[in-house]
Amino acid sequence: MKLTAENYFSEEANREYLSVSQYKDFTGTLGKVACEAEALAKLNGEWEMEKTTALMVGSYVDAHFEGSLDLFQAQNPEIFTKKGELRSEYRKAEEIINRIERDPYFMKFMSGEKQVIMTADLFGAKWKIKIDSLIPDTCIVDLKCMKSLREVKYVKDYGYMDFIQYWGYDIQGAVYQEVVYQNTGKRLPFYIAAVSKEKEPDLEIIQIDDGHLKEKLCEVEQNTPNIMRLKNEEFPPIRCGLCDYCKHTKVLERPIHYSELIGEV
Ligand SMILES: [Zn+2]
């Protein structure tokens, strides 16, 4: 199957190729518990994730820099009020775009080829990636629109976490760098071009160093075979028991003891 902008997110493409977001669905990140059952249900088209406004605002900003904002607006009429004005969240997105465009350094990183699709075989799986801004022979850039860039998240057993590790954007960097390497023979630095949705948007170009990416790629190598066995339905997925999919599909069989309610703290 040849991937294009039109079929990149299709069910068929998701079955044939592994992507970073699928990978994270199966293995989880520090910020999100893994649910193999939900991940498979999504792949099989049995479960759809909610399109939250937070995600949509990010997509709006992405669409602007991709040059496809007109199409995005046409496909998502709900971003306008009945009077035909942009809803306040998307006016915020416009403000973020203006802030980014006021910074020449940030714009330099956004000046590459947009939404570049590449594929490669890694660890027994066919992977697909889509790069926000690829500056040939120079760097790989992914644009992220976050609630805040500096807010710390507490993770049990790990301590305080930055948003990069919390949401697994370092895993994304590791896979993107390797796939680009296999396609071009060049190992390019990976940057997150990050902007916040705060009242006054913050912005940074954040590098994830190659040493850390290498560590993350080892993790991907260890986890990929299990994901492929799940995708091939060689054994049943584990249910997390906590996500919306698990709640929606659970079937009660016995009472639980009250002490089970909060589980392991
Ligand atoms: Zn679940």
Side-chain angles (χ1 to χ4, degrees), residues 161-171 192 194 206 208 212:
M161 271 301 142
D162 50 86
F163 81 86
I164 300 283
Q165 295 185 82
Y166 191 76
W167 296 116
Y169 297 148
D170 47 358
I171 300 168
I192 297 283
I206 304 162
I208 308 177
H212 186 72

Side-chain angles (χ1 to χ4, degrees), residues 33-38 238-247:
V33 178
C35 184
E36 295 177 352
E38 183 194 53
I238 297 170
R239 296 168 62 87
C240 77
L242 301 168
C243 74
D244 285 347
Y245 172 77
C246 286
K247 283 192 276 190

Side-chain angles (χ1 to χ4, degrees), residues 2-238:
K2 175 116 181 66
L3 291 180
T4 62
E6 285 69 38
N7 68 18
Y8 185 86
F9 292 110
S10 67
E11 216 175 291
E12 202 192 350
N14 284 335
R15 273 172 198 277
E16 185 165 335
Y17 294 92
L18 193 54
S19 67
V20 172
S21 60
Q22 269 181 54
Y23 173 91
K24 291 197 290 188
D25 284 346
F26 278 107
T27 61
T29 67
L30 294 174
K32 192 185 170 292
V33 178
C35 184
E36 295 177 352
E38 183 194 53
L40 268 188
K42 272 167 79 175
L43 270 180
N44 295 332
E46 296 158 12
W47 186 249
E48 224 171 291
M49 299 302 279
E50 217 185 326
K51 254 201 310 187
T52 62
T53 308
L55 281 177
M56 289 284 289
V57 168
S59 304
Y60 187 101
V61 176
D62 280 341
H64 169 86
F65 286 103
E66 192 191 333
S68 61
L69 192 54
D70 290 345
L71 183 68
F72 181 85
Q73 290 181 340
Q75 285 172 343
N76 299 283
E78 71 274 19
I79 69 175
F80 294 101
T81 63
K82 283 200 184 106
K83 282 188 190 158
E85 285 164 353
L86 265 183
R87 289 190 185 281
S88 62
E89 297 89 341
Y90 301 97
R91 285 206 302 274
K92 184 77 204 176
E94 287 283 341
E95 194 191 317
I96 288 168
I97 291 164
N98 291 334
R99 179 64 190 93
I100 289 174
E101 290 183 334
R102 193 148 69 71
D103 191 280
Y105 191 76
F106 198 110
M107 286 303 284
K108 211 160 74 181
F109 283 80
M110 291 310 297
S111 69
E113 293 170 32
K114 303 297 187 317
Q115 306 302 325
V116 179
I117 293 170
M118 286 186 185
T119 61
D121 288 315
L122 308 184
F123 320 125
K126 277 162 78 177
W127 287 77
K128 58 173 176 146
I129 66 167
K130 203 172 185 208
I131 304 166
D132 285 343
S133 172
L134 174 66
I135 307 181
D137 303 331
T138 309
C139 65
I140 305 160
V141 183
D142 198 77
L143 177 64
K144 297 276 186 225
C145 216
M146 306 302 300
K147 192 163 140 253
S148 152
L149 306 188
R150 289 163 211 284
E151 185 185 32
V152 285
K153 307 270 193 185
Y154 183 76
V155 186
K156 192 178 161 257
D157 299 335
Y158 289 88
Y160 291 101
M161 271 301 142
D162 50 86
F163 81 86
I164 300 283
Q165 295 185 82
Y166 191 76
W167 296 116
Y169 297 148
D170 47 358
I171 300 168
Q172 182 184 4
V175 171
Y176 277 34
Q177 187 185 60
E178 185 63 22
V179 171
V180 171
Y181 175 71
Q182 298 220 357
N183 279 270
T184 66
K186 301 219 165 80
R187 191 164 293 283
L188 303 181
F190 179 77
Y191 295 96
I192 297 283
V195 61
S196 79
K197 293 182 260 189
E198 291 159 310
K199 189 160 142 286
E200 186 57 55
D202 193 4
L203 65 178
E204 292 292 353
I205 299 295
I206 304 162
Q207 187 183 5
I208 308 177
D209 61 274
D210 286 0
H212 186 72
L213 294 181
K214 207 172 159 189
E215 264 175 47
K216 286 289 137 180
L217 197 64
C218 287
E219 227 176 87
V220 173
E221 181 172 11
Q222 283 162 12
N223 291 327
T224 300
N226 186 53
I227 295 174
M228 293 314 285
R229 283 193 288 272
L230 283 163
K231 277 185 86 166
N232 294 332
E233 292 176 18
E234 287 173 32
F235 52 80
I238 297 170

